[in-house]
Amino acid sequence: MSATTVDTRALLDNTTDDPRRRAPLVLNHTEFGFVTDTVCGVVERTTPRSWYIAFAAALLMTGVMFAMITYLITTGIGVWGIQVPVGWGFAIVNFVFWVGIGHAGTLISAILFLLRQKWRTSINRFAEGMTIFAVVCAGIFPGIHVGRMWVAYWLFPVPNQMQMWPNFRSPLLWDVFAVGTYATVSLLFWYMGMIPDLATLRDRATTRLRWFVYGVLSLGWRSSNRHWHRFEMAYLLLAALATPLVLSVHSVVSFDFAVSIIPGWHTTIFPPYFVAGAIFSGFAMVVTLVIPTRHFFRLQEIITLRHLENMSKIMLATGMMVGLAYSTEFFIAWYSGNAYESFTFLNRAFGPYAWAYWIMVTCNVVVPQIFWSKRMRTNLVVMWIASILINVGMWFERFVIVVSSLSRDYLPTSWGYYRPTIIDVLTFAGSFGLFFTLFLLFVRFLPIIGMAEVKGVMPAALHGEPGHGDYHGDVVERVGRRGGAR
Amino acid sequence: MARDRSDNIFVFPRWTWVLRPGFAAAVAGGLLYAGLIVWLGFSPKTTDVGYAPEQPVPYSHALHVGQLGIDCRYCHNTVEQAAHAAVPPTQTCMNCHATVRKESEKLIPVRASYASGLPVGWIRVHDLPDYVYFDHSAHVRRGIGCVSCHGRIDSMDVVYQFAPLSMGWCLDCHRNPERHLRPVEFVFQLDWVPEEDQLVLGRRLREAGGINPPVDCNTCHR
Amino acid sequence: MPSLINETGPMYWRSLDELARTPEFAEAVRREFPNDEWDRLPAATRRQFLQVMGASLAFAGLTACRWPKEEIVPFAHRPEDRVPGVPQHFATSIELGGVALGALVTSYDGRPIKAEGNPEHPDSLGALSAVAQASVLGLYDPDRSRQVILRAGGQEYAKSWDEFEADLAGQVTGSGDGLAVLSEASSSPSLGRLRDRLLAARPAASWYEYEAVSFDGERDGLRTAFGRPLHVLPHLDRAHVVACFDADPLFEHPAAVRLSRGFAASRDPHRPDGMSRLYVVEAGYSLTGGRADHRLAVPASQVVGLLAALAAAVMERLGMPVPAGLGDAGGGPSPESFLAKLADDLLAHRGAGAVLVGPRQDPLAHALAAVLNAVLDNAGSVVSYHELADPDRPSHLAAIGELSARIAAGSVKTLVILGGNPAYDAPADLRFAELLGRVPNAVHLGLYDDETSRACRWHLPQAHPLESWGDGRAWDGTLTLQQPLIEPLYGGRSPIELAAALLDPVPVRGWEIVRDTVRAVAPAADFELHWRRCLHDGLVAGTAAPAAAPQLDLEAVSQLALAQEPPPAPSANALELVLAPDSKVYDGRFANNGWLQELPDAVTKITWGNALLLSPTTARELGVAQEDVVAVSAGGASVEVPVDVLPGLARFTALLSLGYGRTAAGGVGNDIGTDAYPLRTTAAPWVIPRATVRPLGRRQKLACTQDHHAIDTIGFGERNRRVANLVREASLDAYLEDPEIFRHMDHHPPLEQLWKEGTYEGEQWGMAIDLNACTGCNACVVACHAENNIPLVGREQVIRQREMQWLRIDRYFRTPQGVAPDEVEDAAMVFQPVACVHCENAPCEQVCPVAATQHTADGLNAMVYNRCVGTRYCSNNCPYKVRRFNFFNYRKRMADIAKMQLNPEVTVRSRGVMEKCTYCVQRIEKVRIAAGNDRRPIRDGEISPACAQTCPTRAITFGNLNDPSSEVSRLRGDHRSYATLEELNIRPRTRYLARLSNPAAAAHVDAGGGDHGKETA
Amino acid sequence: MSRHQTQPDAGGSYGYLVAFDSVEQLLQAAARVRDAGYTRWDAHTPFVVHGLDAAMGIRPTILPYLVFAGGLTGTTCGILLQWFTNAHDYPFLISGKPIFSLPANIPVAFEMTILFAALTALVGMLALNLLPQLAHPLHASRGFKRATDDRFFISIEARDPIFDPVATRQLLESLGGSAVEEVPG
């Protein structure tokens, strides 16, 4: 059967809401085999040349980044534009940017899972992968931004001859734990969800190598329902843990600023504001990646237009939240009557960094408004461009917060103006290289869609009980029965 | 049939079930081993203690201090006034060796230095990092004996590093000096032992002298 | 070309080791200790080469890590008074512009590492100017010349001193015909003695003295007024009204330290007879102008006119006949209000005022000042006159002019130049550099192989003042001794040694010459004892010139006045260009001194170069903006220089400082800034009329440590709003009305802790900085730089806002509200020294993830370099932005010889580490240990950080806050005491004492903060 | 118990395996096997089939309790770590703040909680499932590969107390699945 060609006469738009029947999540097909073949096909088909080209490009960019880092380590962080007063520049901006991106994955997997949003199944694997890669990129920057990278391990509580310990009052140390935990948990979540699908790849293996690799990775999964039973429970628990985690991580990241005394940083609104922003940017990045991928690998029937429309709606919502945060900041700056605070915000909007501020506002608040219109929500090109603009805007949000606040704090004599160097820019560009390298490897060698989960929400799996069929239904209603193994 | 993509079946051999506990054991053991290597291998106790370089002149503290009973301060005469317990000038050696062992082979560098005025290049044994500021006077004037840090110099033919001289080691004493405090008159007496319990004595001396060693960073780092 | 000329640091070490074994070296030692008597002197032993040796080898070890093993190199024969690692202090002197400043130099294991003031010395009083302190760095400058060089036929040959002496013996014949000596300004009695002997022994020889920056205007002015030149010595501590006409007694004056101390005393609001009032008339801001109660910005050329008008006004009111030529001498604008007010004030305080005129003004101005001081009875009370040692010498300009003429006439065969750099700084119209080429045998003794040396046949390495014997006179004439602290690093010789060589070929040591001078000047029964005492004190007591009571010759003054034609008033196409010695490199001699190059100019805050200063309105009318490069032309010459727009300058007046654009200064100073000497002529040495400014359409960044970028309107407004609160100021009257006035100046909610208040027992260190005493002179900044091994970062890094000074002096201009940045005409200038204030609730501490900065038991905010990982979070979170970061290893290119200056008591920071003011914790620890050793408490004032130690006005006080009797506690109890950014509840340990202005009644508006005081009162 | 379940008994048979095409068939079949009183048997499905647990009579897992315990351990470690390092072993004065105050320790304690709990969830799940177990008799069956694709299986082990080569085979054949396959042990 043909998984590789899409029947163009077939129905591809499932965005119309028909109250009489729930909108299908997989189009034109009812047999499970179709899902297996389509998704595994991505991995099993011979590698297209275009993949090699893209991979080479990404690899090149990664090389650039590591070249920059080598130069940085051998020469000193003076090669960056940072100075006094602006002691944090691109490195921290990029860190916050990437961590923010990293939030969509866990959010889609965990929160939508708890909210029983079935449509998540086609994109969660994808988003989780993206999370891991974003966090990897984010993780690089705190490491290299310190003046003496070779003693960066002092940030961890390692017993040593000095009998010195890190200072747990410092938000940076909270960061270490938050980001560390987040990376670990996201990885667990991602891998665990993948085990059954890896088993599928194992069982479809035609070469010894593939069989061995996927065999080991799938840990000998044999689809036993007694295993599924605990698997579901573990998955539910991980989701329940990851949800507060994902909220806490960006809150902690925002503490780096909120706990300081710098006007423009010292704000109680930061945690919710940062989390909303993170979700916002995360979804934007998913859209940016999903649209080309689904087109390229012909996944239109599994990652349907409805999925994309839903994501547009979420971007619209989070975009408005971020916009609200911006205006609240201004209101409070004025309302608090704190002279330093109000100057900082006037300065943001009309000072030397006004250009950055208005780029941010345009991309993050104005652009998403187009998603009020359904035509825009269902127009892939528009959606794709908008998502990229939102990514740009969110990067600038971090730039404005970090740089413009620092550049003019309390004593006018030590005001300054930060200019990035070419090293700054290339390092940032290079981190995208790393991101795409990992992403390309992922789409090439791993199941980019959770087959077992998609199958679970297909009509054939629901044995005529509409409204049921998602994992936790039975977890919740199950009561102890006699007999059986434990 | 259509769904079956390959005729050959791959199966893992039965013995692989052993891997599970084996793997777990390997991971745990490996981590423990690595930890121990780092902890023990890089500790100053391992790297520094016992460092005994060969000196240009085979000067024996065992002979001069142990047997002849020369006081530490005869040579290291700045120890009570200054941060450095200065290594003596050649002159000091010659005070005796102008008459004693005039012809000795071993003393050739000393005599040469005395004649030319060029220094004898001794090798530093107790070498703290440049960012550490240790003051001998502050310690000996408060009743910390030489022996506490340098060991029984009077029995060393070749001086070696007795203590790790690590920050943790310094802190231990700065936090509980009573373990080492002694009456100032016995500071330079290497073989002195208290009649009473050291801790009792130490606490009394600490009380009396109002000795509260600071543990602030800039006590040693400036 | 012989390679020895450009030896580098490491080369030096090697050569030294070899040296130690060569016969030449043995010879050097012999010359060093000629006889036994020598060895008995304490001074003798410390110059044993062993120390230099020891230092070199120690450094070889010090830079190494643990496991290339480190060597200990003890003395072979340790001197009596030497304890290794314990610094010693020696009194010596540093001569600048012919005035000797007493200094107390710290020597660490034989290495002079820091110069401080000599408390015994009348002009130093324990403090030292920035420039004088920086001379220590000059000693170790790797670019100093190391070699006698003979230049002939376009070739350079490395020669020895013997070869030179042989050659000289051939050149200088019996009567000394064709022999001329050009000395830089010197008050050295020894040199004077040798000069007289030389001129006696070789009657045909001639002796000239030239220095670009001199006080000859005053000499000539007083010669007119009193018939003979005298030194004017103001006693500002006694003054009630001080009027400065283009004068800068607080900074530019050679005795500035002494005058500043006096001024500060007179500004004490609690002075029994009230606080003094300062009037300043000047072209652009000087530090004195910054402290003025009433300031008038007029073109420099108009000052004399105002003086004449003032003199006339005063004499009229005294009912004296006004001599001809005075009343109408001033052609320029004469704002009645100001002059009238000043006249009234001076008359109201007869005998308690001073009228001072600066070196830029021509003799008439000085004469008029003399007249005013005389008729007001200030002479003898506030202003005293002192006889000069060399009353008859021609002025420097005349001397160099005459010498040039004689060279042009070809009548000079051998020209011996003792120091100085005339080829660079002689008036442009003389073309002196070219003339030098025509002298068959020109000999230049200099610290550097500089512009002059390159135009001469012989270059001789000069011994640095810290390497050689010498003497000089303080401003009041006190004989001050200069003794070496180290063997000449590069075998140089001092001017007196060279001068002696002109007399007899057998080299005489400077030591003998100075001894003979002292013996001659101050004979004593037991000379040996007397000599030792003088060496110990650094001066010969009781040698100050007696005060003179000269007779005023009004007639001569009015003649001079009549002879003067009124100068033209400047306009947009005929600007007035005012030249000034630079506040850092002076006349250019310090161009290769990194500390001074990187020191922000007191007023402009520009480092590494100079700029053409224009007032905002003038700049607007000329159509030039900040950092535009312009061509400044006058009298045919033209130079290119970037513009710095600054308030407080007279309209159509441009200021430019000398001393930059050196071509042979050395690796540091070459091609830094713009050389202004081409514009300077014999006719118009300082004030150049009819100059034009033409924008070249280029821009050039100024390495400025403040306002790093052109300020926008929002920022400008906000800055003005904040200044009032940061630098609090009120008029004396307002303050006396309501002593609490400064507490009312900011309003914030009660400062409560979230948690239990910490208690602080034992010594608790704190600091008080009196803004009413601070003049912004930068002495503390250099002292801090020298004490704490602060690295130099260079122009590029300063532009990128990475300067490293721990202590900076913030300079603000108070501009009236609502004035646009480019319309500011006049604005009050205020200073505020800012270093780490050691907050009790330090924001920097809580954010450091590795606890590299934490609070100590004695209340210091400790910065632990070796723990720092360099997140820079602390710097971000510091509201004062006083933390400094090592973005690179700024010592990578540091020559080994320069490392000899480093203070061993302070860790040398490496790359990627944060640093900041430590309250000089090394000094605290030193005293604490010493006090603990002999079981005694620490005395108040026993600990003094480098900045406090060197402050000329004693504006900085350090001490124990837990001791209610300590000076610092007293000052913090003062009504004027306040903390900046108090509302953040960070509890800074450094507090400021507010500034007071003392405007004349009915003139509060003119005073910077006076009106503000009124509002809140 | 499951240890010997995985252990091959020499040359013997592992048990029977029967395949179904639809979820409905599977559920009915499972219910019948359960009611027949078998204990050592299992169902194999490519995805989670709703209601199958009930049909097989599987009791809830203890995993949640393990995870809860893991979380508590995390919190305790987090707090203890911070107390020991900053308040006990080497206390230092920071910004005039108390040596030990809970608010500053919440973030790290929270993250440690999540970390420990999450690790327990995955490791616990694998441990209870006795995974990884690469080798299993069922993998030798060729048809069984589709258990991860689109087919549904029921397997009954020969080790089951009431297993009878004949009766059991009859039961399975009566379930309407594919031909019963005997899987070698």
Side-chain angles (χ1 to χ4, degrees), chain B residues 134-164:
Chain B
F134 175 84
D135 191 304
H136 275 90
S137 70
H139 291 80
V140 296
R141 295 278 286 270
R142 283 161 185 73
I144 296 297
C146 310
V147 71
S148 297
C149 308
H150 294 286
R152 290 300 299 271
I153 289 280
D154 59 348
S155 65
M156 296 183 191
D157 273 316
V158 177
V159 177
Y160 61 85
Q161 184 171 332
F162 164 78

Side-chain angles (χ1 to χ4, degrees), chain A residues 88-253:
Chain A
W88 284 354
F90 264 41
I92 296 298
V93 173
N94 300 344
F95 163 70
V96 182
F97 172 73
W98 279 120
V99 170
I101 301 266
H103 278 56
T106 319
L107 182 101
I108 294 174
S109 310
I111 297 182
L112 296 190
F113 177 77
L114 295 182
L115 297 177
R116 304 193 184 187
Q117 295 300 310
K118 292 208 194 104
W119 59 274
R120 67 181 269 286
T121 53
S122 335
I123 51 168
N124 67 334
R125 172 72 42 74
F126 200 83
E128 288 163 29
M130 189 203 68
T131 294
I132 309 289
F133 311 144
V135 172
V136 168
C137 294
I140 288 175
F141 288 99
I144 61 169
H145 104 288
V146 298
R148 302 199 292 166
M149 305 81 179
W150 46 95
V151 290
Y153 70 91
W154 284 347
L155 269 75
F156 302 93
V158 185
N160 56 70
Q161 57 87 12
M162 299 176 285
Q163 292 185 9
M164 281 288 288
W165 298 105
N167 168 23
F168 281 95
R169 300 173 190 82
S170 164
L172 274 190
L173 209 65
W174 306 345
D175 261 3
V176 171
F177 282 82
V179 176
T181 305
Y182 187 60
T184 321
V185 173
S186 311
L187 199 61
L188 297 186
F189 205 54
W190 185 52
Y191 174 65
M192 192 180 130
M194 212 154 36
I195 291 176
D197 295 346
L198 288 168
T200 310
L201 282 169
R202 173 198 64 199
D203 291 345
R204 292 167 56 95
T206 50
T207 71
R208 212 172 178 79
L209 179 64
R210 283 176 158 277
W211 163 77
F212 180 77
V213 173
Y214 291 122
V216 169
L217 286 178
S218 59
L219 308 176
W221 181 259
R222 55 179 187 275
S223 320
S224 150
N225 192 56
R226 299 182 188 279
H227 290 181
W228 273 124
H229 165 60
R230 301 192 181 94
F231 180 92
E232 296 168 59
M233 178 53 76
Y235 199 90
L236 174 72
L237 288 168
L238 272 184
L241 289 166
T243 306
L245 175 65
V246 78
L247 300 184
S248 84
V249 170
H250 228 51
S251 303
V252 168
V253 170

Side-chain angles (χ1 to χ4, degrees), chain C residues 786-805:
Chain C
E787 171 76 15
N788 292 303
N789 301 338
I790 297 172
L792 292 166
V793 298
R795 183 171 181 278
E796 186 42 41
Q797 292 291 300
V798 174
I799 289 175
R800 293 174 71 173
Q801 291 172 253
R802 293 169 178 180
E803 63 271 11
M804 292 297 275
Q805 283 106 352

Side-chain angles (χ1 to χ4, degrees), chain C residues 27-28 31 144-148 160-166 168 417-419 444-447 459-465 467-470 482 487-502 504-510 513:
Chain C
E27 164 61 9
R31 273 201 265 102
R144 266 178 62 194
S145 77
R146 303 150 184 261
Q147 187 64 43
V148 175
S160 74
W161 276 98
D162 299 346
E163 287 168 297
F164 163 71
E165 278 156 5
L168 186 70
I417 306 174
L418 302 175
H444 180 238
L445 175 74
L447 283 167
H459 162 73
L460 311 173
Q462 181 180 352
H464 191 275
E467 293 174 333
S468 55
W469 287 96
Q482 165 196 321
E487 171 80 356
L489 293 169
Y490 309 129
R493 294 195 190 169
S494 65
I496 52 173
E497 286 167 342
L498 183 58
L502 292 173
D504 44 35
V506 188
V508 195
R509 299 299 291 173
I513 302 171

